[in-house]
């Protein structure tokens, strides 16, 4: 399968953020992002490899999108698309600290939502730690609303807020 390139509309200036499908050769970069961005509940290296392979072999099962700025892979979003479900799921999203507050997560979410719509999904869901104010604000700012809470969801027993957006 050829890589999907999703760029912002209009001519592309040098170093514009580009979203594209991550490839197996980017396992190290993605593992480095994971290590920098999460102190627990990390996706293991073997987990990342499995998702990357799945994304390539079965694009309707998982999609791994990376955001690039110049030569830097600055973040990723991992989208899960279950067979026979109209609901897509954001499994994880992360942007490295040096590139935060530049709109990259919003761009990644927009890319994931486009892929979900293309694949016939009409809603998108995610879980977020209830103490992750930055992420909750991000999701709320682009139309996600909370609909449920799961006690002791994370490794350290913090609860998850479940959020959803109609597509
Ligand atoms: C959450 C995360 C992905 C946001 O990435 P980002 O690229 O900095 O986000 P954006 O620049 O697109 O921010 C969009 C909006 O989100 C909100 N936001 C993002 N970071 C925020 C922060 N630290 N504090 C408050 N609001 C924040 C703001 O509303 C922001 O809009 P604004 O900059 O116009 O005010 C990033 O902080 C991260 O990787 N954190 C660690 C991993 C993580 O928590 N992932 C989410 C798991 S559910």
């Amino acid at each position: 399968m050829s890589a999907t390139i999703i760029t912002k509309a209009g001519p592309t200036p040098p170093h514009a953020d580009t979203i594209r499908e991550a490839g197996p050769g980017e396992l190290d970069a993605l593992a480095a992002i994971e290590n920098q961005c999460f102190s627990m509940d990390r996706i293991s290296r073997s987990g990342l490899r499995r998702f990357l392979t799945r994304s390539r072999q079965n694009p309707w099962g998982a999609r791994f999108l990376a955001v690039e700025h110049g030569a830097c892979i600055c973040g990723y979003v991992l989208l899960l698309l279950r067979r026979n479900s109209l609901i897509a799921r954001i499994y994880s999203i992360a942007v490295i600290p040096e590139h935060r507050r530049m709109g990259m997560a919003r761009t990644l979410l927009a890319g994931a939502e486009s892929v979900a719509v293309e694949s016939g999904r009409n809603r998108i869901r995610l879980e977020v730690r209830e103490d992750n104010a930055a992420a909750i604000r991000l999701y709320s700012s682009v139309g996600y609303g909370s609909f449920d809470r799961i006690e002791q969801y994370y490794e350290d027993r913090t609860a998850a807020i479940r959020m959803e957006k109609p597509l």
Side-chain angles (χ1 to χ4, degrees):
M1 188 187 56
S2 62
T4 303
I5 310 285
I6 308 163
T7 50
K8 289 176 176 175
T12 309
H15 304 311
D17 303 341
T18 305
I19 300 202
R20 58 172 179 73
E21 220 162 290
E26 284 154 339
L27 178 60
D28 285 346
L30 293 167
I33 295 171
E34 195 69 8
N35 284 334
Q36 279 187 77
C37 293
F38 296 100
S39 54
M40 62 183 103
D41 293 292
R42 282 184 185 130
I43 307 175
S44 65
R45 196 180 163 81
S46 57
L48 290 169
R49 187 185 290 111
R50 267 198 308 276
F51 280 123
L52 277 169
T53 310
R54 228 168 112 188
S55 180
R56 286 301 196 182
Q57 290 174 347
N58 173 15
W60 305 120
R63 295 292 290 271
F64 223 131
L65 305 180
V67 61
E68 243 177 2
H69 184 85
C72 169
I73 297 179
C74 306
Y76 78 82
V77 62
L78 177 55
L79 179 73
L80 299 186
L81 298 164
R82 277 180 39 211
R83 211 184 290 269
N84 301 326
S85 172
L86 292 176
I87 305 172
R89 179 176 173 212
I90 304 261
Y91 188 73
S92 187
I93 181 168
V95 172
I96 56 172
E98 304 88 305
H99 285 271
R100 288 187 188 160
R101 297 310 285 270
M102 295 174 182
M104 286 194 176
R106 272 201 187 119
T107 304
L108 282 165
L109 285 174
E113 289 163 13
S114 299
V115 170
V117 169
E118 277 166 25
S119 70
R121 272 49 177 191
N122 63 15
R123 271 177 290 166
I124 188 160
R125 287 183 173 174
L126 55 84
E127 292 81 36
V128 56
R129 288 175 64 98
E130 73 174 352
D131 60 4
N132 193 342
I136 292 171
R137 197 162 153 204
L138 160 71
Y139 302 134
S140 304
S141 77
V142 292
Y144 290 73
S146 59
F147 69 96
D148 196 9
R149 181 174 183 276
I150 310 172
E151 294 289 349
Q152 302 185 8
Y153 184 79
Y154 293 99
E155 214 172 283
D156 66 352
R157 313 183 104 200
T158 296
I161 306 294
R162 300 184 74 197
M163 301 185 84
E164 178 180 275
K165 177 178 176 176
L167 295 172

